[in-house]
Amino acid sequence: MKFTNLGLAPELQRAISDSGYVEMTPVQQKGIVAARRKKDLLVNAQTGTGKTAAFALPILQMMLDAPKPNVSASPRALILSPTRELAEQLGTTIQGYAKYTELSVQAVYGGVKMGGQKSKLTEGVDVLIATPGRLLEHLSLNNLNLTNIEWVVLDEADRMLDMGFLTDVQTILQHASQKHQTLLYSATSSPAVNELSHKILHNHSVIKIDKLNTTAATVTHSMYPVEESRKIELFKRLLKQHNWFQVMVFTSTKQQADALMAALKKAKVNAAVCHGDKSQGYRKRVIADFKSAKLQVLISTDVAARGLDIQGLDHVINFNLPYLPEDYVHRIGRTGRAGNTGEAISFVSREEENTVAKIERLINSKIKRVNQPGFEVSNRVSLLKSAQRRAGAGRSNKATATQISIQKVQKQKNKKAKR
C-alpha cells in the first residue's frame, strides 16, 4: 500500500515524498489506519520497521483536521522516549514530517540547560518529545501544563520499563488530561509491558508486526571464538583484512570501549567512542560524523543501541555479548534496515558461550561459527571436561596420599606393639 492512498494532507504528503517514502511498511500500514480511528493501541514492532512514521503521521494529520491555536507551555501531543539520543532523533524526524505545516515540534531531554527548553515551551509547542526525567523536572518547575494533552505515545516502552521509568511514567500520566488517545509501542513483548498496557490503555487494539524478538531476514549472523584478552587484536585484524568502510562496535562497559578506542587511535584508525561519560554535545557530534561517513568506526555502549538510524550501515560488531539476549536484537537492528543487507558479527569468549545459546533460542536460528586462523580457542565443553578430569585426578591423588599416610601410621603402631 502506498502513502498516497492514505488521503493525508498535501503538506504531509510533500514531506513524505521528500523523505523518499513510497510504499508503507507493515507497521505503518496497520498503525496509521488504526490510530486515525482514535483507538488506543499496543503495538509490538522491532526497531527499523518505520514505527516513528506509524505514530507521528496520524497525530499530525489529526491536528491538521482539528486545528487549534498554539497555547504557551501546553502541548497537544506528548511522546515519551527512554533516552535522550532517541528523543533527539524523534524530534528531528517528526520536525521533518511537519516542516510544510505550521505545527511546532520540540524535544526536551537531560544533558542540556533547562533555560533554552523553557523558552521553547513558553513559545508554545504542538508536539512535545521528552525523556521522563527531564519532563518531570519541567513539571515540578511549572514550565509545562499537560491538561490539554490529546495524544500520548510511549515509544520503546519495554526499554523504559527496563530502565526503571515505570513510576515516572505513571506520575506523568497523572498530570495529563483524562481524555486522551494513548499509543504504546514496544520492540518486545513481556509481562511488564502487558501489565502496563492494561493500566493505561482503554478498549485498546493490539498490533503485532512480524515474529517477536526476531531479527531482519536481511541480516547474516556469525561469531568468532576468541580469548577475551585478544578481542582488540582480532578486531584490528578483521578491520584490515576485510577493509570495512564503516562499522559500529558495541561493548558492554565504558572501560572496554575506551580500551578499544585507545588501541584504534594508536593504529591510526579514524574512530570515536560514545558512552555515558561523554557530554551530550560530544555524542551528538560523533554520531553526526559517523552518519556522514567521516568516521570509519563508532564504538558505543548500549546507550546507542536503540533509535539510531544510520543509512547503509553494513556491519555491527558485538565486541562483548550483551547481558540480556533481547539486547542483541536491539544492537544489530542498526544494520539490515529498509531491505538492505547487513552483517552482525560477535566476538565470543569461552565465558560467553552460554549467552550464545540463549540468543540462538531467542532468534530461532543458529549463529555461524567462524574460526580465525591464529586466534583458535578451545571450546567451552572440552575445557569443562578437561577441568573435570583434572579435578578427578586430584581427588584420586589425594585419596592415594591419604592411604599411604594411614599405612605408615599402621606400621608404626605394629612396631610399637612388637616391642
Side-chain angles (χ1 to χ4, degrees), residues 139-170:
L139 286 171
S140 68
L141 295 171
N142 295 318
N143 295 340
L144 192 62
N145 179 4
L146 300 182
T147 56
N148 292 323
I149 286 290
E150 299 172 55
W151 297 274
V152 173
V153 179
L154 272 66
D155 191 20
E156 304 282 11
D158 51 344
R159 188 65 170 172
M160 272 193 266
L161 295 179
D162 289 343
M163 295 173 69
F165 286 136
L166 175 59
T167 301
D168 289 350
V169 170
Q170 290 175 324

Side-chain angles (χ1 to χ4, degrees), residues 248-262:
M248 188 164 190
V249 185
F250 283 105
T251 65
S252 296
T253 68
K254 292 177 287 188
Q255 291 77 14
Q256 291 161 344
D258 288 336
L260 178 57
M261 179 63 200

Side-chain angles (χ1 to χ4, degrees), residues 298-363:
L298 177 61
I299 308 160
S300 177
T301 53
D302 284 318
V303 296
R306 296 200 189 197
L308 185 60
D309 187 8
I310 301 171
Q311 297 296 324
L313 182 60
D314 296 324
H315 308 285
V316 169
I317 309 295
N318 289 296
F319 191 83
N320 307 94
L321 290 180
Y323 177 71
L324 295 174
E326 291 84 357
D327 285 335
Y328 175 85
V329 176
H330 302 148
R331 285 183 179 185
I332 69 169
R334 304 309 95 219
T335 189
R337 298 168 77 95
N340 296 315
T341 58
E343 188 175 13
I345 298 170
S346 300
F347 294 170
V348 182
S349 66
R350 288 189 295 264
E351 294 77 14
E352 295 173 300
E353 289 281 355
N354 281 336
T355 304
V356 174
K358 294 177 182 177
I359 290 171
E360 289 178 331
R361 286 195 296 271
L362 182 70
I363 66 176

Side-chain angles (χ1 to χ4, degrees), residues 217-255:
T218 53
V219 177
T220 59
H221 306 259
S222 61
M223 58 169 279
Y224 285 76
V226 60
E227 297 285 356
E228 185 68 34
S229 61
R230 300 192 69 195
K231 286 185 176 181
I232 291 177
E233 186 183 352
L234 175 61
F235 178 73
K236 291 194 296 183
R237 174 78 61 85
L238 294 176
L239 189 66
K240 184 176 180 180
Q241 178 179 317
H242 297 291
N243 194 28
W244 287 329
F245 173 68
Q246 203 175 29
V247 58
M248 188 164 190
V249 185
F250 283 105
T251 65
S252 296
T253 68
K254 292 177 287 188
Q255 291 77 14

Side-chain angles (χ1 to χ4, degrees), residues 68-371:
K68 292 183 179 179
N70 196 295
V71 179
S72 174
S74 184
R76 297 181 66 185
L78 171 64
I79 301 172
L80 290 176
S81 163
T83 68
R84 52 191 177 187
E85 286 80 14
L86 181 55
E88 186 177 30
Q89 182 180 314
L90 287 172
T92 301
T93 302
I94 298 173
Q95 282 171 357
Y97 298 152
K99 64 182 179 180
Y100 296 119
T101 73
E102 294 184 359
L103 299 173
S104 59
V105 180
Q106 181 64 38
V108 297
Y109 42 79
V112 296
K113 294 180 179 179
M114 295 277 287
Q117 294 179 352
K118 179 183 177 181
S119 298
K120 293 290 186 182
L121 294 174
T122 302
E123 291 174 10
V125 175
D126 293 300
V127 180
L128 177 64
I129 301 112
T131 52
R134 179 49 59 99
L135 185 67
L136 286 174
E137 288 184 82
H138 283 294
L139 286 171
S140 68
L141 295 171
N142 295 318
N143 295 340
L144 192 62
N145 179 4
L146 300 182
T147 56
N148 292 323
I149 286 290
E150 299 172 55
W151 297 274
V152 173
V153 179
L154 272 66
D155 191 20
E156 304 282 11
D158 51 344
R159 188 65 170 172
M160 272 193 266
L161 295 179
D162 289 343
M163 295 173 69
F165 286 136
L166 175 59
T167 301
D168 289 350
V169 170
Q170 290 175 324
T171 301
I172 290 167
L173 292 179
Q174 289 173 0
H175 286 81
S177 163
Q178 292 300 310
K179 293 183 178 180
H180 65 261
Q181 181 182 5
T182 306
L183 310 177
L184 193 157
Y185 275 74
S186 175
T188 60
S189 181
S190 69
V193 170
N194 291 332
E195 182 181 354
L196 177 63
S197 69
H198 288 294
K199 286 182 178 179
I200 68 173
L201 303 181
H202 303 283
N203 192 26
H204 68 280
S205 297
V206 178
I207 296 174
K208 293 186 178 183
I209 305 300
D210 204 2
K211 185 178 178 181
L212 296 180
N213 292 324
T214 60
T215 57
T218 53
V219 177
T220 59
H221 306 259
S222 61
M223 58 169 279
Y224 285 76
V226 60
E227 297 285 356
E228 185 68 34
S229 61
R230 300 192 69 195
K231 286 185 176 181
I232 291 177
E233 186 183 352
L234 175 61
F235 178 73
K236 291 194 296 183
R237 174 78 61 85
L238 294 176
L239 189 66
K240 184 176 180 180
Q241 178 179 317
H242 297 291
N243 194 28
W244 287 329
F245 173 68
Q246 203 175 29
V247 58
M248 188 164 190
V249 185
F250 283 105
T251 65
S252 296
T253 68
K254 292 177 287 188
Q255 291 77 14
Q256 291 161 344
D258 288 336
L260 178 57
M261 179 63 200
L264 294 180
K265 185 178 180 180
K266 189 175 181 180
K268 297 183 178 179
V269 174
N270 196 7
V273 66
C274 182
H275 58 57
D277 284 350
K278 303 297 182 181
S279 70
Q280 175 68 9
Y282 172 85
R283 288 153 71 179
K284 183 178 178 180
R285 289 193 302 274
V286 161
I287 292 171
D289 285 347
F290 188 65
K291 284 185 174 183
S292 61
K294 293 178 182 178
L295 295 173
Q296 183 179 6
V297 179
L298 177 61
I299 308 160
S300 177
T301 53
D302 284 318
V303 296
R306 296 200 189 197
L308 185 60
D309 187 8
I310 301 171
Q311 297 296 324
L313 182 60
D314 296 324
H315 308 285
V316 169
I317 309 295
N318 289 296
F319 191 83
N320 307 94
L321 290 180
Y323 177 71
L324 295 174
E326 291 84 357
D327 285 335
Y328 175 85
V329 176
H330 302 148
R331 285 183 179 185
I332 69 169
R334 304 309 95 219
T335 189
R337 298 168 77 95
N340 296 315
T341 58
E343 188 175 13
I345 298 170
S346 300
F347 294 170
V348 182
S349 66
R350 288 189 295 264
E351 294 77 14
E352 295 173 300
E353 289 281 355
N354 281 336
T355 304
V356 174
K358 294 177 182 177
I359 290 171
E360 289 178 331
R361 286 195 296 271
L362 182 70
I363 66 176
N364 195 29
S365 177
K366 296 293 289 183
I367 297 177
K368 181 182 177 183
R369 192 182 187 101
V370 181
N371 292 302

